[in-house]
mmCIF file of all heavy atoms in Angstrom:
data_model
loop_
_atom_site.group_PDB
_atom_site.id
_atom_site.type_symbol
_atom_site.label_atom_id
_atom_site.label_comp_id
_atom_site.label_asym_id
_atom_site.label_seq_id
_atom_site.Cartn_x
_atom_site.Cartn_y
_atom_site.Cartn_z
ATOM 1 N N TYR A 1 0.775 -1.223 -0.030
ATOM 2 C CA TYR A 1 0.002 -0.009 0.013
ATOM 3 C C TYR A 1 0.870 1.283 0.026
ATOM 4 O O TYR A 1 0.736 2.131 -0.879
ATOM 5 C CB TYR A 1 -0.921 -0.024 1.198
ATOM 6 C CG TYR A 1 -1.781 1.200 1.299
ATOM 7 C CD1 TYR A 1 -3.081 1.252 0.800
ATOM 8 C CD2 TYR A 1 -1.372 2.378 1.948
ATOM 9 C CE1 TYR A 1 -3.913 2.389 0.869
ATOM 10 C CE2 TYR A 1 -2.084 3.542 2.021
ATOM 11 C CZ TYR A 1 -3.435 3.503 1.485
ATOM 12 O OH TYR A 1 -4.219 4.617 1.598
ATOM 13 N N GLY A 2 1.768 1.390 0.943
ATOM 14 C CA GLY A 2 2.550 2.602 1.091
ATOM 15 C C GLY A 2 3.511 2.791 -0.081
ATOM 16 O O GLY A 2 3.757 3.929 -0.553
ATOM 17 N N GLU A 3 3.979 1.749 -0.612
ATOM 18 C CA GLU A 3 4.912 1.815 -1.742
ATOM 19 C C GLU A 3 4.151 2.326 -2.985
ATOM 20 O O GLU A 3 4.676 3.177 -3.755
ATOM 21 C CB GLU A 3 5.547 0.463 -2.012
ATOM 22 C CG GLU A 3 6.558 0.406 -3.154
ATOM 23 C CD GLU A 3 7.296 -0.890 -3.313
ATOM 24 O OE1 GLU A 3 6.972 -1.825 -2.577
ATOM 25 O OE2 GLU A 3 8.145 -0.969 -4.199
ATOM 26 N N ALA A 4 2.946 1.832 -3.222
ATOM 27 C CA ALA A 4 2.222 2.262 -4.403
ATOM 28 C C ALA A 4 1.797 3.710 -4.286
ATOM 29 O O ALA A 4 1.812 4.427 -5.296
ATOM 30 C CB ALA A 4 0.935 1.417 -4.447
ATOM 31 N N PHE A 5 1.498 4.143 -3.053
ATOM 32 C CA PHE A 5 1.237 5.612 -2.910
ATOM 33 C C PHE A 5 2.436 6.424 -3.301
ATOM 34 O O PHE A 5 2.253 7.457 -4.027
ATOM 35 C CB PHE A 5 0.799 5.816 -1.443
ATOM 36 C CG PHE A 5 0.888 7.246 -0.998
ATOM 37 C CD1 PHE A 5 0.068 8.231 -1.558
ATOM 38 C CD2 PHE A 5 1.815 7.653 -0.096
ATOM 39 C CE1 PHE A 5 0.151 9.551 -1.186
ATOM 40 C CE2 PHE A 5 1.860 8.934 0.356
ATOM 41 C CZ PHE A 5 1.083 9.901 -0.224
ATOM 42 N N ARG A 6 3.582 6.071 -2.824
ATOM 43 C CA ARG A 6 4.782 6.821 -3.146
ATOM 44 C C ARG A 6 5.114 6.807 -4.613
ATOM 45 O O ARG A 6 5.592 7.811 -5.197
ATOM 46 C CB ARG A 6 5.970 6.316 -2.317
ATOM 47 C CG ARG A 6 5.887 6.804 -0.850
ATOM 48 C CD ARG A 6 6.964 6.094 -0.035
ATOM 49 N NE ARG A 6 7.023 6.670 1.339
ATOM 50 C CZ ARG A 6 6.100 6.319 2.275
ATOM 51 N NH1 ARG A 6 5.149 5.450 2.003
ATOM 52 N NH2 ARG A 6 6.180 6.815 3.480
ATOM 53 N N GLU A 7 4.880 5.714 -5.220
ATOM 54 C CA GLU A 7 5.125 5.622 -6.694
ATOM 55 C C GLU A 7 4.211 6.528 -7.515
ATOM 56 O O GLU A 7 4.585 7.226 -8.453
ATOM 57 C CB GLU A 7 4.901 4.162 -7.214
ATOM 58 C CG GLU A 7 6.012 3.208 -6.870
ATOM 59 C CD GLU A 7 7.321 3.559 -7.528
ATOM 60 O OE1 GLU A 7 7.308 3.897 -8.726
ATOM 61 O OE2 GLU A 7 8.370 3.614 -6.866
ATOM 62 N N ALA A 8 2.992 6.694 -6.957
ATOM 63 C CA ALA A 8 1.999 7.548 -7.698
ATOM 64 C C ALA A 8 2.457 9.046 -7.549
ATOM 65 O O ALA A 8 2.183 9.861 -8.458
ATOM 66 C CB ALA A 8 0.642 7.402 -7.051
ATOM 67 N N LEU A 9 3.065 9.402 -6.490
ATOM 68 C CA LEU A 9 3.555 10.781 -6.298
ATOM 69 C C LEU A 9 4.653 11.189 -7.287
ATOM 70 O O LEU A 9 4.851 12.340 -7.491
ATOM 71 C CB LEU A 9 4.022 11.008 -4.893
ATOM 72 C CG LEU A 9 3.014 10.908 -3.739
ATOM 73 C CD1 LEU A 9 3.717 11.325 -2.436
ATOM 74 C CD2 LEU A 9 1.812 11.770 -4.046
ATOM 75 N N LYS A 10 5.274 10.185 -7.946
ATOM 76 C CA LYS A 10 6.276 10.491 -8.922
ATOM 77 C C LYS A 10 5.629 11.114 -10.198
ATOM 78 O O LYS A 10 6.284 11.895 -10.909
ATOM 79 C CB LYS A 10 7.058 9.270 -9.308
ATOM 80 C CG LYS A 10 7.915 8.707 -8.166
ATOM 81 C CD LYS A 10 8.683 7.446 -8.591
ATOM 82 C CE LYS A 10 9.490 6.917 -7.445
ATOM 83 N NZ LYS A 10 10.157 5.571 -7.747
ATOM 84 N N GLU A 11 4.389 10.854 -10.378
ATOM 85 C CA GLU A 11 3.684 11.413 -11.529
ATOM 86 C C GLU A 11 2.910 12.706 -11.176
ATOM 87 O O GLU A 11 2.723 13.603 -11.987
ATOM 88 C CB GLU A 11 2.689 10.381 -12.135
ATOM 89 C CG GLU A 11 3.363 9.113 -12.699
ATOM 90 C CD GLU A 11 2.406 8.280 -13.460
ATOM 91 O OE1 GLU A 11 1.303 8.794 -13.958
ATOM 92 O OE2 GLU A 11 2.673 7.026 -13.574
ATOM 93 N N ASP A 12 2.319 12.758 -9.975
ATOM 94 C CA ASP A 12 1.607 13.957 -9.481
ATOM 95 C C ASP A 12 2.019 14.049 -8.045
ATOM 96 O O ASP A 12 1.489 13.293 -7.229
ATOM 97 C CB ASP A 12 0.141 13.797 -9.698
ATOM 98 C CG ASP A 12 -0.607 15.099 -9.323
ATOM 99 O OD1 ASP A 12 -0.048 15.912 -8.582
ATOM 100 O OD2 ASP A 12 -1.730 15.285 -9.808
ATOM 101 N N ALA A 13 2.823 15.012 -7.698
ATOM 102 C CA ALA A 13 3.344 15.160 -6.323
ATOM 103 C C ALA A 13 2.297 15.751 -5.334
ATOM 104 O O ALA A 13 2.565 15.727 -4.139
ATOM 105 C CB ALA A 13 4.610 16.052 -6.306
ATOM 106 N N SER A 14 1.179 16.268 -5.889
ATOM 107 C CA SER A 14 0.246 16.908 -4.960
ATOM 108 C C SER A 14 -1.229 16.586 -5.368
ATOM 109 O O SER A 14 -2.015 17.520 -5.645
ATOM 110 C CB SER A 14 0.501 18.413 -4.944
ATOM 111 O OG SER A 14 -0.275 19.010 -3.960
ATOM 112 N N PRO A 15 -1.617 15.369 -5.379
ATOM 113 C CA PRO A 15 -3.059 15.038 -5.554
ATOM 114 C C PRO A 15 -3.881 15.434 -4.390
ATOM 115 O O PRO A 15 -3.335 15.579 -3.278
ATOM 116 C CB PRO A 15 -2.993 13.517 -5.770
ATOM 117 C CG PRO A 15 -1.949 13.070 -4.880
ATOM 118 C CD PRO A 15 -0.862 14.111 -5.042
ATOM 119 N N LEU A 16 -5.171 15.628 -4.643
ATOM 120 C CA LEU A 16 -6.059 15.818 -3.513
ATOM 121 C C LEU A 16 -6.152 14.637 -2.620
ATOM 122 O O LEU A 16 -5.996 14.769 -1.429
ATOM 123 C CB LEU A 16 -7.461 16.228 -3.990
ATOM 124 C CG LEU A 16 -7.775 17.663 -4.446
ATOM 125 C CD1 LEU A 16 -9.088 17.732 -5.100
ATOM 126 C CD2 LEU A 16 -7.731 18.607 -3.197
ATOM 127 N N ILE A 17 -6.429 13.472 -3.225
ATOM 128 C CA ILE A 17 -6.410 12.296 -2.534
ATOM 129 C C ILE A 17 -5.842 11.181 -3.409
ATOM 130 O O ILE A 17 -5.795 11.314 -4.651
ATOM 131 C CB ILE A 17 -7.854 11.759 -2.144
ATOM 132 C CG1 ILE A 17 -8.736 11.641 -3.386
ATOM 133 C CG2 ILE A 17 -8.416 12.768 -1.073
ATOM 134 C CD1 ILE A 17 -10.117 11.061 -3.079
ATOM 135 N N TRP A 18 -5.273 10.162 -2.837
ATOM 136 C CA TRP A 18 -4.878 8.932 -3.514
ATOM 137 C C TRP A 18 -5.635 7.773 -2.877
ATOM 138 O O TRP A 18 -5.748 7.733 -1.658
ATOM 139 C CB TRP A 18 -3.366 8.706 -3.329
ATOM 140 C CG TRP A 18 -2.850 7.441 -3.919
ATOM 141 C CD1 TRP A 18 -2.351 7.277 -5.150
ATOM 142 C CD2 TRP A 18 -2.774 6.167 -3.322
ATOM 143 N NE1 TRP A 18 -1.952 5.973 -5.348
ATOM 144 C CE2 TRP A 18 -2.200 5.252 -4.244
ATOM 145 C CE3 TRP A 18 -3.136 5.591 -2.050
ATOM 146 C CZ2 TRP A 18 -1.974 3.912 -3.983
ATOM 147 C CZ3 TRP A 18 -2.919 4.311 -1.787
ATOM 148 C CH2 TRP A 18 -2.355 3.411 -2.714
ATOM 149 N N PHE A 19 -6.117 6.873 -3.681
ATOM 150 C CA PHE A 19 -6.863 5.755 -3.095
ATOM 151 C C PHE A 19 -6.698 4.548 -4.003
ATOM 152 O O PHE A 19 -6.347 4.679 -5.162
ATOM 153 C CB PHE A 19 -8.350 6.060 -2.925
ATOM 154 C CG PHE A 19 -9.155 6.254 -4.182
ATOM 155 C CD1 PHE A 19 -9.875 5.273 -4.776
ATOM 156 C CD2 PHE A 19 -9.092 7.499 -4.805
ATOM 157 C CE1 PHE A 19 -10.578 5.493 -5.945
ATOM 158 C CE2 PHE A 19 -9.812 7.767 -6.037
ATOM 159 C CZ PHE A 19 -10.550 6.724 -6.524
ATOM 160 N N CYS A 20 -6.949 3.354 -3.468
ATOM 161 C CA CYS A 20 -6.752 2.121 -4.210
ATOM 162 C C CYS A 20 -8.035 1.303 -4.205
ATOM 163 O O CYS A 20 -9.024 1.627 -3.507
ATOM 164 C CB CYS A 20 -5.601 1.377 -3.546
ATOM 165 S SG CYS A 20 -5.921 0.810 -1.862
ATOM 166 N N ASP A 21 -7.991 0.273 -4.977
ATOM 167 C CA ASP A 21 -9.123 -0.708 -4.914
ATOM 168 C C ASP A 21 -8.977 -1.475 -3.612
ATOM 169 O O ASP A 21 -7.928 -1.499 -2.988
ATOM 170 C CB ASP A 21 -8.997 -1.667 -6.139
ATOM 171 C CG ASP A 21 -10.332 -2.381 -6.436
ATOM 172 O OD1 ASP A 21 -11.255 -2.202 -5.654
ATOM 173 O OD2 ASP A 21 -10.385 -3.102 -7.438
ATOM 174 N N TYR A 22 -10.023 -2.123 -3.245
ATOM 175 C CA TYR A 22 -10.051 -2.812 -1.953
ATOM 176 C C TYR A 22 -10.877 -4.021 -2.001
ATOM 177 O O TYR A 22 -11.761 -4.180 -2.921
ATOM 178 C CB TYR A 22 -10.567 -1.880 -0.850
ATOM 179 C CG TYR A 22 -11.977 -1.558 -0.962
ATOM 180 C CD1 TYR A 22 -12.987 -2.277 -0.148
ATOM 181 C CD2 TYR A 22 -12.475 -0.543 -1.741
ATOM 182 C CE1 TYR A 22 -14.326 -1.978 -0.253
ATOM 183 C CE2 TYR A 22 -13.853 -0.214 -1.829
ATOM 184 C CZ TYR A 22 -14.721 -0.933 -1.061
ATOM 185 O OH TYR A 22 -16.093 -0.678 -1.156
ATOM 186 N N GLY A 23 -10.593 -4.987 -1.076
ATOM 187 C CA GLY A 23 -11.413 -6.170 -0.962
ATOM 188 C C GLY A 23 -12.097 -6.134 0.419
ATOM 189 O O GLY A 23 -12.019 -5.199 1.114
ATOM 190 N N GLU A 24 -12.573 -7.297 0.789
ATOM 191 C CA GLU A 24 -13.254 -7.429 2.056
ATOM 192 C C GLU A 24 -12.661 -8.656 2.881
ATOM 193 O O GLU A 24 -12.233 -9.663 2.273
ATOM 194 C CB GLU A 24 -14.729 -7.670 1.908
ATOM 195 C CG GLU A 24 -15.451 -6.409 1.338
ATOM 196 C CD GLU A 24 -16.924 -6.631 1.096
ATOM 197 O OE1 GLU A 24 -17.309 -7.822 1.046
ATOM 198 O OE2 GLU A 24 -17.645 -5.623 0.967
ATOM 199 N N LYS A 25 -12.682 -8.495 4.176
ATOM 200 C CA LYS A 25 -12.328 -9.548 5.007
ATOM 201 C C LYS A 25 -13.563 -10.004 5.731
ATOM 202 O O LYS A 25 -14.138 -9.226 6.566
ATOM 203 C CB LYS A 25 -11.296 -9.112 6.037
ATOM 204 C CG LYS A 25 -10.531 -10.234 6.826
ATOM 205 C CD LYS A 25 -9.611 -11.011 5.889
ATOM 206 C CE LYS A 25 -8.840 -12.101 6.698
ATOM 207 N NZ LYS A 25 -8.017 -12.885 5.835
ATOM 208 N N ARG A 26 -14.034 -11.261 5.501
ATOM 209 C CA ARG A 26 -15.214 -11.742 6.124
ATOM 210 C C ARG A 26 -14.830 -12.995 6.906
ATOM 211 O O ARG A 26 -14.651 -14.072 6.334
ATOM 212 C CB ARG A 26 -16.331 -12.023 5.076
ATOM 213 C CG ARG A 26 -16.828 -10.806 4.383
ATOM 214 C CD ARG A 26 -17.827 -11.141 3.253
ATOM 215 N NE ARG A 26 -18.375 -9.903 2.634
ATOM 216 C CZ ARG A 26 -19.574 -9.472 3.014
ATOM 217 N NH1 ARG A 26 -20.293 -10.094 3.942
ATOM 218 N NH2 ARG A 26 -20.031 -8.420 2.466
ATOM 219 N N GLY A 27 -14.719 -12.837 8.229
ATOM 220 C CA GLY A 27 -14.148 -13.917 8.953
ATOM 221 C C GLY A 27 -12.750 -14.275 8.602
ATOM 222 O O GLY A 27 -11.858 -13.361 8.569
ATOM 223 N N GLU A 28 -12.514 -15.446 8.250
ATOM 224 C CA GLU A 28 -11.148 -15.808 7.764
ATOM 225 C C GLU A 28 -11.059 -15.706 6.250
ATOM 226 O O GLU A 28 -9.919 -15.930 5.675
ATOM 227 C CB GLU A 28 -10.857 -17.277 8.204
ATOM 228 C CG GLU A 28 -10.805 -17.469 9.671
ATOM 229 C CD GLU A 28 -9.721 -16.676 10.392
ATOM 230 O OE1 GLU A 28 -8.600 -16.577 9.790
ATOM 231 O OE2 GLU A 28 -10.021 -16.076 11.380
ATOM 232 N N ASP A 29 -12.121 -15.388 5.616
ATOM 233 C CA ASP A 29 -12.142 -15.364 4.118
ATOM 234 C C ASP A 29 -11.834 -13.939 3.625
ATOM 235 O O ASP A 29 -12.241 -12.923 4.128
ATOM 236 C CB ASP A 29 -13.496 -15.758 3.584
ATOM 237 C CG ASP A 29 -13.901 -17.207 3.960
ATOM 238 O OD1 ASP A 29 -12.965 -17.981 4.035
ATOM 239 O OD2 ASP A 29 -15.062 -17.484 4.091
ATOM 240 N N THR A 30 -11.012 -13.893 2.549
ATOM 241 C CA THR A 30 -10.691 -12.685 1.844
ATOM 242 C C THR A 30 -11.452 -12.677 0.514
ATOM 243 O O THR A 30 -11.362 -13.578 -0.253
ATOM 244 C CB THR A 30 -9.170 -12.593 1.512
ATOM 245 O OG1 THR A 30 -8.382 -12.565 2.747
ATOM 246 C CG2 THR A 30 -8.840 -11.333 0.724
ATOM 247 N N VAL A 31 -12.212 -11.637 0.375
ATOM 248 C CA VAL A 31 -13.177 -11.519 -0.802
ATOM 249 C C VAL A 31 -12.691 -10.341 -1.640
ATOM 250 O O VAL A 31 -12.661 -9.205 -1.211
ATOM 251 C CB VAL A 31 -14.581 -11.335 -0.378
ATOM 252 C CG1 VAL A 31 -15.496 -11.180 -1.560
ATOM 253 C CG2 VAL A 31 -15.073 -12.462 0.494
ATOM 254 N N THR A 32 -12.290 -10.574 -2.863
ATOM 255 C CA THR A 32 -11.910 -9.549 -3.736
ATOM 256 C C THR A 32 -12.801 -9.364 -4.936
ATOM 257 O O THR A 32 -12.785 -8.459 -5.720
ATOM 258 C CB THR A 32 -10.489 -9.713 -4.289
ATOM 259 O OG1 THR A 32 -10.382 -10.979 -4.975
ATOM 260 C CG2 THR A 32 -9.457 -9.651 -3.170
ATOM 261 N N GLU A 33 -13.770 -10.381 -5.072
ATOM 262 C CA GLU A 33 -14.753 -10.322 -6.162
ATOM 263 C C GLU A 33 -16.149 -10.608 -5.558
ATOM 264 O O GLU A 33 -16.395 -11.648 -4.999
ATOM 265 C CB GLU A 33 -14.492 -11.392 -7.246
ATOM 266 C CG GLU A 33 -13.124 -11.131 -7.963
ATOM 267 C CD GLU A 33 -13.143 -9.909 -8.864
ATOM 268 O OE1 GLU A 33 -14.257 -9.482 -9.238
ATOM 269 O OE2 GLU A 33 -12.065 -9.337 -9.102
#
């Protein structure tokens, strides 16, 4: 996560926000779809 954020700043050093796609944690299961 942190590495991807820093890489994005190389193209635009001052975005309003940076955000990524996300999945869900349901109990022990990881759901990305």
Side-chain angles (χ1 to χ4, degrees):
Y1 178 94
E3 183 174 1
F5 161 65
R6 284 173 174 77
E7 284 297 314
L9 293 187
K10 294 179 180 178
E11 294 189 27
D12 186 338
S14 190
L16 277 170
I17 60 173
W18 176 92
F19 66 99
C20 63
D21 199 353
Y22 68 97
E24 295 177 341
K25 194 71 175 177
R26 294 175 174 264
E28 296 301 316
D29 296 329
T30 297
V31 179
T32 57
E33 297 292 336

